[in-house]
């Protein structure tokens, strides 16, 4: 079961969202201030953090920065009634997964939370596969120290993270595998 944190200084909004998300099958915790949200969100126990943008001395951007610094895999969705393009762009630049403008529907929120959870799951899978790939195909297993081999290894490092299709050709027995 996914675990979410709602950070909002308005009690009515916070409890309404919590009830809505619990009804959808999520485990939900609440924080009533930006300070509490940054502290709890940075602890790493959450899959998604939903935070209001405008709060007291510590706002949603502060919560976003604290969570992303401590737990980069946790997705953060910012909520605001005072949305501007500039604030949305800044939130995305800092690392927010999404930005939702109040008032929003239950369906709209559930879709955004679902996408954030899918994104987190995929990022975790990619990280696990990357570790497995590095363990399985270590450069130490490649024989050769010539300039040509080093050049090929440099290309491998640049190409490996992409979706590019690569065709390797050469004489039989030269180690293409």
């Amino acid at each position: 079961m996914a675990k979410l944190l709602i950070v909002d200084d308005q009690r009515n909004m916070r409890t309404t969202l919590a009830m809505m998300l619990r009804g959808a099958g999520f485990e939900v915790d609440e924080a009533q201030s930006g300070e509490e949200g940054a502290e709890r969100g940075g602890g790493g126990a959450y899959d998604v953090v939903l935070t209001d943008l405008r709060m007291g001395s510590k706002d949603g951007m502060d919560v976003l920065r604290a969570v992303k610094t401590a737990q980069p895999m946790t997705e953060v969705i910012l909520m605001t009634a005072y949305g501007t393009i500039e604030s949305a762009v800044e939130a995305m630049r800092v690392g927010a997964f999404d930005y939702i403008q109040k008032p929003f529907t239950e369906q709209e929120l559930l879709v955004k939370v679902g996408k954030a959870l899918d994104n987190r799951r995929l990022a975790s899978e990619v990280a696990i596969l990357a570790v497995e790939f590095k363990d399985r195909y270590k450069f130490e297993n490649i024989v050769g120290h010539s300039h040509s081999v080093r050049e090929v290894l440099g290309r491998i490092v640049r190409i490996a993270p992409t979706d590019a299709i690569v065709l390797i050709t050469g004489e039989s027995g030269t180690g293409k595998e």
Side-chain angles (χ1 to χ4, degrees):
M1 178 186 325
K3 191 166 182 183
L4 288 81
L5 174 65
I6 299 171
V7 184
D8 200 319
D9 58 351
Q10 294 179 353
R11 184 175 175 268
N12 290 343
M13 183 67 170
R14 194 175 61 245
T15 51
T16 301
L17 286 174
M19 287 184 348
M20 181 190 316
L21 292 165
R22 285 184 187 115
F26 298 110
E27 185 178 336
V28 181
D29 287 341
E30 302 173 39
Q32 60 187 350
S33 68
E35 291 83 2
E36 183 183 354
E39 182 181 321
R40 293 179 78 175
Y46 301 100
D47 298 302
V48 177
V49 174
L50 292 153
T51 182
D52 191 19
L53 184 59
R54 288 195 181 174
M55 291 184 283
S57 61
K58 215 171 211 185
D59 66 5
M61 291 299 289
D62 295 324
V63 173
L64 169 63
R65 285 184 188 96
V67 170
K68 283 304 201 178
T69 299
Q71 301 297 328
M73 296 294 286
T74 299
E75 298 295 357
V76 179
I77 299 174
L78 283 162
M79 308 175 291
T80 187
Y82 310 99
T84 64
I85 292 172
E86 292 81 17
S87 62
V89 168
E90 174 66 12
M92 298 308 226
R93 189 186 65 73
V94 173
F97 174 76
D98 211 338
Y99 191 91
I100 188 168
Q101 194 157 0
K102 296 176 185 177
F104 47 80
T105 65
E106 179 178 355
Q107 187 62 32
E108 194 177 356
L109 179 65
L110 291 176
V111 166
K112 289 187 184 283
V113 169
K115 286 181 178 181
L117 290 169
D118 286 345
N119 195 60
R120 179 182 164 100
R121 180 185 52 78
L122 289 172
S124 296
E125 287 178 13
V126 166
I128 290 167
L129 291 172
V131 168
E132 288 178 12
F133 180 83
K134 286 180 184 176
D135 288 345
R136 188 175 200 183
Y137 301 106
K138 296 178 183 173
F139 285 149
E140 296 86 44
N141 295 335
I142 297 177
V143 178
H145 302 286
S146 69
H147 175 72
S148 300
V149 170
R150 287 196 315 266
E151 188 177 309
V152 168
L153 291 176
R155 287 182 184 173
I156 290 170
V157 168
R158 287 191 310 274
I159 295 171
T162 69
D163 291 337
I165 297 171
V166 178
L167 173 64
I168 300 173
T169 61
E171 300 272 335
S172 183
T174 58
K176 294 180 298 295
E177 67 282 348

